[in-house]
Amino acid sequence: MTSTLAPSFLDQAGSPELPAPRGPLSDAVIGALRGGPLGPVDAAGAEPYGDDLQLALHCCYELHYRGFAGVDAEREWDPELLGVRRELERVFLAALRADVEPGDDVTAEVDALLVEPIGPGVRGVSHHLQREGTLEQLREYVAHRSIYHLKEADPQAWAIPRLSGAAKAGLVTVEHDEYGSGRPERMHALLFAEMMTELGLSDAYCAYVEHVPGETLAEVNLMSLCGLHRSLRGASVGQFAMVELTSSPGSERLVRGMRRLDCGPASIRFYDEHVEADAVHEQVVRRSVLAPLLAAEPELAADVVFGIRASLFLGERMGERLLGCWDRGESSLRMPLA
């Protein structure tokens, strides 16, 4: 496999194509975006984490990012589509609140995140890829993660105008690093695109939406859900904190796995960057985001804990999907990679 960087990613300004529906909810939303009438949408009995509801939510949220090819940008604020999105969100959020134990001790929650499980019996996607994962499993994992990492930090940017004072300044400090600290070639999304290209994958934005299951979409949808609702700003910060506080050890394991698999420098660079960057971000998030946020708005403590735990819950569901499929010798994707 040849090693080529992906400078074209910086110039990708177009919108992705609409995906194929996976059920009545996504069929209604995608049909409306294709120009048809928006038929009745009943989300009440839908599987909250299933492919159909999560794809429908993904399509609603993407209108606030890059939109879709051939879809009028004004559809972002279509009242009917916003109403459908709200119904989908209610089902998703209600399920998360039912499945995630509530709490309000942010200090204890953060301390727990910083305890890294050790030992040969520890299970996890990054542990598997470090020890025994195949190159094809690594490529699948990268395809899953591309749904977020090609828009890395964008969902959390919605939280910036919803915060104030020191917490806002702290969040912007971390976001500034995510966007390359003013250097486009250091943007984390670009580094991820370069890795995809070197691994023989497409670096096009949302190229693998058709391939990934609801478990993958749900992780990213949670970020958009929390970012787009001021009432969930505490949860948005909690989700952001969870990622920044836990990604450094996992990134280091992935670097080791990639070296074991003889991956090239562009493949390793993305996760190698996160080993160091997120170790620094851990301190910034704790001291400059969480501390001033809770000092100014202590009532958000329960929301911060919810954001952490909901993100962990969905991440564990995705990890179980990948490891379960790989244990059975199956692909974790809905369709094979090219």
Side-chain angles (χ1 to χ4, degrees):
M1 158 182 324
T2 58
S3 174
T4 57
L5 298 185
S8 61
F9 182 79
L10 287 174
D11 303 318
Q12 288 182 14
S15 302
E17 298 291 332
L18 279 163
R22 302 183 194 175
L25 300 176
S26 53
D27 186 55
V29 170
I30 292 169
L33 292 175
R34 293 192 190 282
L38 182 60
V41 176
D42 182 8
E47 165 54 46
Y49 310 123
D51 276 27
D52 186 27
L53 185 142
Q54 292 300 326
L55 181 63
L57 259 184
H58 165 83
C59 291
C60 290
Y61 288 143
E62 279 303 315
L63 296 175
H64 300 290
Y65 294 103
R66 297 197 190 181
F68 293 100
V71 176
D72 189 338
E74 288 296 323
R75 298 304 295 275
E76 178 181 6
W77 300 111
D78 184 301
E80 288 189 315
L81 283 171
L82 289 174
V84 169
R85 193 191 91 190
R86 187 58 179 147
E87 290 304 310
L88 300 171
E89 289 176 332
R90 284 180 178 140
V91 173
F92 184 33
L93 190 56
L96 286 171
R97 293 204 181 280
D99 289 332
V100 173
E101 184 178 354
D104 60 6
D105 190 337
V106 175
T107 299
E109 203 70 21
V110 168
D111 288 345
L113 289 176
L114 296 176
V115 176
E116 178 71 9
I118 59 174
V122 175
R123 286 271 286 176
V125 173
S126 63
H127 295 86
H128 173 82
L129 291 173
Q130 176 188 350
R131 296 169 183 161
E132 58 191 343
T134 66
L135 181 60
E136 193 59 22
Q137 289 170 349
L138 172 65
R139 294 176 75 241
E140 284 188 14
Y141 176 71
V142 170
H144 283 283
R145 298 304 300 162
S146 70
I147 309 305
Y148 167 63
H149 282 302
L150 292 182
K151 62 157 70 78
E152 184 165 351
D154 291 351
Q156 294 80 20
W158 295 111
I160 294 172
R162 307 181 190 283
L163 303 180
S164 61
K168 174 184 282 194
L171 182 63
V172 169
T173 296
V174 178
E175 290 276 277
H176 183 58
D177 285 350
E178 304 285 358
Y179 293 122
S181 300
R183 297 170 59 194
E185 72 278 6
R186 299 303 304 167
M187 289 175 60
H188 288 183
L190 175 63
L191 297 182
F192 196 87
E194 291 174 343
M195 174 175 61
M196 297 186 77
T197 302
E198 188 169 79
L199 290 172
L201 298 167
S202 170
D203 71 341
Y205 180 84
C206 282
Y208 292 102
V209 166
E210 297 271 26
H211 293 71
V212 303
E215 289 91 339
T216 303
L217 297 176
E219 274 203 291
V220 188
N221 284 341
L222 174 66
M223 301 178 193
S224 298
L225 169 64
C226 294
L228 286 166
H229 288 268
R230 184 177 179 275
S231 62
L232 292 172
R233 64 193 182 280
S236 184
V237 171
Q239 180 277 322
F240 185 62
M242 191 286 298
V243 172
E244 298 299 328
L245 269 62
T246 62
S247 71
S248 186
S251 295
E252 186 170 8
R253 286 190 289 272
L254 289 168
V255 167
R256 290 173 181 168
M258 288 177 165
R259 287 178 175 149
R260 178 181 63 81
L261 293 168
D262 292 324
C263 295
S267 300
I268 294 170
R269 189 177 299 118
F270 174 81
Y271 285 109
D272 203 27
E273 167 83 8
H274 281 68
V275 172
E276 180 178 350
D278 288 348
V280 175
H281 292 171
E282 170 199 321
Q283 297 300 316
V284 178
V285 169
R286 294 188 73 179
R287 298 173 182 175
S288 301
V289 181
L290 288 173
L293 174 69
L294 295 173
E297 299 184 90
E299 68 276 10
L300 294 183
D303 286 341
V304 172
V305 172
F306 171 72
I308 292 173
R309 292 182 177 178
S311 186
L312 287 170
F313 172 75
L314 293 175
E316 288 169 2
R317 291 185 82 256
M318 178 184 164
E320 289 169 2
R321 159 85 184 213
L322 271 63
L323 292 174
C325 289
W326 293 342
D327 285 347
R328 295 189 298 273
E330 302 171 357
S331 171
S332 62
L333 298 169
R334 298 177 65 249
M335 59 184 72
L337 294 170

